[in-house]
Amino acid sequence: MQHGKYRFIVGFLALPLIVYGIFVISPFVQAFQISMTDWSGLVGTARFIGLENFERLWNSDEFWNALRHNVYMLVGVPIVTLGLGLFFAFMLNVGGKRRKNEVITGVTGSKLYKFVFFFPQVISVTIIAVIWFNIYNPDPQDGMLNSLLGTVGLDGLQNSWLGEKSIALLCISAVMVWGHVGFYVVLFSAAMASIPRDIYEAALLDGASRFDTFFKITLPLLWDTVQTGWVYMGIIALDAFALVQIMSVNMGGPDGATDVMPLRLFQTAFRDSQFGYASAMGVAMLIVTMTFAVLTMRFARRERIEF
């Protein structure tokens, strides 16, 4: 019986593992192989050069500049996105006024709010980038943000936004937060729906404030969901290719202020035809992403709370 069980398991998993190996593992192996060459993209032009691409990468100021920007986004974007997602989900589900015979209730119209928050998720990232590129338009008449500031008498706050080196990356990061916070509102709302209302009601009857119920009940019980969301959002922050490519000045400008690793990889491969060097960047990105995921799962791990 045991041998029959193992044969069934192997037979059941064999095809999915083969498909996964071909379409997921194999490209990673090929990328590492290409990173050891000076391939220009033309058939038959690859020449093995060992670790020279990685040595060049280590000494590249452009790569470290792009990596630094990714790290900034990796730290800031998930914190703000998950924080806002938790806050809005908590208010929508348990932040309403107490009604008759109900101790815990969400705000009025919470379903409509969830739809509004989630709406950016159904829009292509390209469309989001184009919309916000026009919002950030520095023209006081055509740019929606500058036009709005001028209308309310805040002309002093008008800026070139994406053309300002000190805030360009922050502007793009804000768009990333706007585009993803709705997903986490819905995700955390679904997780909160599984928490028994009796726990909240008992806490409030004992005199606990909304602040206490959030940090002592909601957050601990949602920690596994938050941890997974942190890894997912971190990987998105490490990418940011589409937004930067479409929104930034001259693809990564001004003066490299919004350059990120995926954009640097894209330009190296398809503009400069240095596919071996670009593959080395891809391997470096894989290492950074895996390190981030492992560290997050390791240090954010805590004892599971059952309810």
Side-chain angles (χ1 to χ4, degrees):
M1 290 295 293
Q2 290 293 329
H3 293 295
K5 181 180 71 173
Y6 291 136
R7 280 198 298 269
F8 173 77
I9 294 174
V10 172
F12 187 79
L13 294 178
L15 182 59
L17 288 175
I18 292 173
V19 173
Y20 184 82
I22 293 174
F23 292 102
V24 179
I25 303 299
S26 177
F28 286 133
V29 175
Q30 292 179 51
F32 184 76
Q33 179 184 0
I34 296 173
S35 70
M36 297 287 190
T37 70
D38 63 351
W39 187 41
S40 64
L42 299 176
V43 178
T45 61
R47 180 174 62 89
F48 181 79
I49 59 174
L51 298 176
E52 288 183 21
N53 284 327
F54 293 97
E55 182 180 356
R56 178 184 172 189
L57 201 63
W58 182 264
N59 296 316
S60 171
D61 292 336
E62 291 182 339
F63 173 75
W64 288 109
N65 177 59
L67 177 60
R68 183 171 62 253
H69 293 155
N70 273 118
V71 172
Y72 289 159
M73 300 178 78
L74 177 62
V75 173
V77 172
I79 291 176
V80 177
T81 305
L82 297 182
L84 290 175
L86 279 168
F87 172 76
F88 289 130
F90 182 76
M91 296 305 296
L92 290 177
N93 288 275
V94 298
K97 294 182 178 179
R98 299 182 186 183
R99 302 170 187 169
K100 185 178 180 180
N101 298 325
E102 287 186 87
V103 178
I104 297 297
T105 182
V107 299
T108 303
S110 60
K111 292 183 179 179
L112 175 62
Y113 288 131
K114 291 175 185 177
F115 171 78
V116 172
F117 278 121
F118 191 77
F119 183 71
Q121 285 291 307
V122 303
I123 305 177
S124 167
V125 65
T126 304
I127 297 176
I128 290 176
V130 171
I131 290 173
W132 279 92
F133 180 81
N134 287 279
I135 290 175
Y136 284 135
N137 188 328
D139 191 294
Q141 302 300 323
D142 297 332
M144 184 181 298
L145 183 54
N146 279 343
S147 177
L148 177 63
L149 291 173
T151 301
V152 298
L154 298 176
D155 304 67
L157 296 179
Q158 291 179 336
N159 210 316
S160 58
W161 305 114
L162 296 174
E164 182 67 36
K165 184 176 180 180
S166 60
I167 62 173
L169 187 64
L170 183 62
C171 292
I172 295 177
S173 298
V175 176
M176 187 175 294
V177 172
W178 178 85
H180 291 90
V181 69
F183 171 79
Y184 291 99
V185 171
V186 175
L187 176 66
F188 293 143
S189 294
M192 288 179 190
S194 65
I195 301 176
R197 295 282 171 164
D198 295 345
I199 299 177
Y200 285 114
E201 293 175 359
L204 292 178
L205 291 175
D206 286 340
S209 65
R210 300 286 185 185
F211 182 87
D212 293 328
T213 56
F214 176 78
F215 283 99
K216 295 183 179 180
I217 297 177
T218 303
L219 187 57
L221 293 178
L222 294 184
W223 189 254
D224 288 344
T225 305
V226 172
Q227 184 186 46
T228 303
W230 187 283
V231 174
Y232 177 67
M233 196 63 219
I235 293 173
I236 292 176
L238 284 170
D239 183 3
F241 168 74
L243 288 178
V244 173
Q245 184 192 31
I246 297 172
M247 295 181 63
S248 64
V249 177
N250 296 326
M251 293 182 65
D255 194 23
T258 58
D259 199 9
V260 290
M261 290 193 295
L263 181 62
R264 176 59 43 194
L265 187 156
F266 173 82
Q267 292 177 321
T268 301
F270 297 101
R271 184 192 64 185
D272 304 334
S273 296
Q274 300 179 26
F275 284 86
Y277 186 40
S279 295
M281 292 184 184
V283 173
M285 285 180 57
L286 174 63
I287 294 173
V288 172
T289 304
M290 293 299 295
T291 301
F292 163 73
V294 171
L295 290 177
T296 300
M297 299 301 291
R298 173 64 181 85
F299 291 104
R301 185 174 56 190
R302 58 190 298 175
E303 186 177 350
R304 184 178 178 85
I305 300 176
E306 302 289 345
F307 58 88

